[in-house]
């Protein structure tokens, strides 16, 4: 768990004022617009990131059930730390990252998409097999789900509740970078975050 010390291990970028709080070993994100939470430590492949995530639906103003998203192995185009320059939290400001990204239940919970960002502010390639819209690839309100992100050499994977939703065999893999939880206009609870080297 990475929340014992509150938010001291995180860099938070908010498009508009919202609530980001750590208590009872959980991270609560309740925001009216874009929010990115960067874990401060660089990660090196082979690595797996797991966490439990719940999209809260309790009649709150931001309880939209949408956008449990993540960047991993992220860095700026010039190889620097992605939060070395503050971004506003608006999604378009992250287009120039070099990173893997999944948007789970994006666009009002109508899409789940994987993208390999290439550091180009105008191009975020999307392959047809990485653009999902079937119900089993979307979010259920108030359902705690286990998310797993993998970067293991060329093997890039995204798992949800033991099912591999998305994968990519990357011929030029990103082998180091930073991890962030990302959302927009939503209310999320994140628990039991674990980051570990695969094979150790």
């Amino acid at each position: 768990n990475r929340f014992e010390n509150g938010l001291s291990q995180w860099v938070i970028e908010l498009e508009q004022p919202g609530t980001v709080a750590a208590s009872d070993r959980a991270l609560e994100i309740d925001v009216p617009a874009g929010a990115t939470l960067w874990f401060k430590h660089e990660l090196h492949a082979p690595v797996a990131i797991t966490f439990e995530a719940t999209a809260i639906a309790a009649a709150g103003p931001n309880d939209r059930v949408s956008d449990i998203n993540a960047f991993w192995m992220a860095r700026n185009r010039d190889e620097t730390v992605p939060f070395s320059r503050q971004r506003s939290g608006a999604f378009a400001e992250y287009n120039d990252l070099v990173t893997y990204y999944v948007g789970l239940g994006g666009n009002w919970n109508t899409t789940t998409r994987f993208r390999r960002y290439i550091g180009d502010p105008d191009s975020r390639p999307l392959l047809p097999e990485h653009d999902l819209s079937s119900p089993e690839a979307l979010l259920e309100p108030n359902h705690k789900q286990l998310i797993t992100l993998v970067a293991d050499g060329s093997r890039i994977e995204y798992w949800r509740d033991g099912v591999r939703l998305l994968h990519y065999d990357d011929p030029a893999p990103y082998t180091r970078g930073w991890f962030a939880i990302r959302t927009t206009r939503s209310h999320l609870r994140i628990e039991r975050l674990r980051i570990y080297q695969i094979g150790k």
Side-chain angles (χ1 to χ4, degrees):
N1 196 308
R2 306 281 173 163
F3 311 123
E4 300 95 331
N5 299 314
L7 297 171
S8 63
Q9 299 299 308
W10 299 84
V11 174
I12 299 167
E13 297 169 338
L14 295 179
E15 187 176 3
Q16 296 178 18
T19 298
V20 178
S23 62
D24 298 326
R25 298 191 174 184
L27 181 66
E28 198 88 10
I29 305 168
D30 191 351
V31 292
T36 303
L37 285 68
W38 290 106
F39 186 58
K40 287 183 178 179
H41 304 282
E42 186 178 21
L43 308 181
H44 294 264
V47 66
I49 304 159
T50 69
F51 57 93
E52 294 175 349
T54 307
I56 304 297
N62 305 314
D63 293 6
R64 192 166 64 108
V65 186
S66 186
D67 289 281
I68 297 177
N69 308 336
F71 297 115
W72 72 109
M73 316 313 281
R75 58 190 190 277
N76 289 326
R77 284 182 292 176
D78 61 3
E79 303 287 319
T80 57
V81 181
F83 47 88
S84 59
R85 66 176 181 86
Q86 184 84 9
R87 291 174 169 88
S88 73
F91 192 35
E93 292 192 20
Y94 300 86
N95 287 359
D96 61 352
L97 288 173
V98 174
T99 187
Y100 302 117
Y101 171 81
V102 165
L104 175 63
N107 300 300
W108 293 83
N109 198 26
T110 61
T111 63
T112 290
R113 290 172 172 165
F114 168 86
R115 296 182 190 266
R116 181 184 185 273
Y117 282 44
I118 57 174
D120 184 334
D122 300 316
S123 177
R124 296 176 298 141
L126 176 66
L127 298 175
E129 62 267 31
H130 296 154
D131 187 0
L132 309 179
S133 59
S134 59
E136 60 269 20
L138 301 176
L139 296 172
E140 295 180 39
N142 301 314
H143 170 65
K144 183 185 292 186
Q145 60 210 310
L146 177 64
I147 305 299
T148 303
L149 316 173
V150 173
D152 181 8
S154 62
R155 181 171 68 98
I156 309 304
E157 297 179 336
Y158 183 92
W159 295 70
R160 196 260 298 274
D161 287 340
V163 176
R164 189 176 72 173
L165 284 186
L166 295 153
H167 67 281
Y168 181 56
D169 185 13
D170 191 345
Y174 302 151
T175 59
R176 64 176 187 86
W178 280 261
F179 159 65
I181 296 166
R182 165 79 197 175
T183 194
T184 186
R185 193 182 165 192
S186 69
H187 182 186
L188 308 181
R189 181 174 298 120
I190 308 296
E191 301 169 89
R192 300 178 66 85
L193 173 65
R194 181 178 175 224
I195 300 170
Y196 61 95
Q197 294 296 121
I198 296 173
K200 293 187 178 181

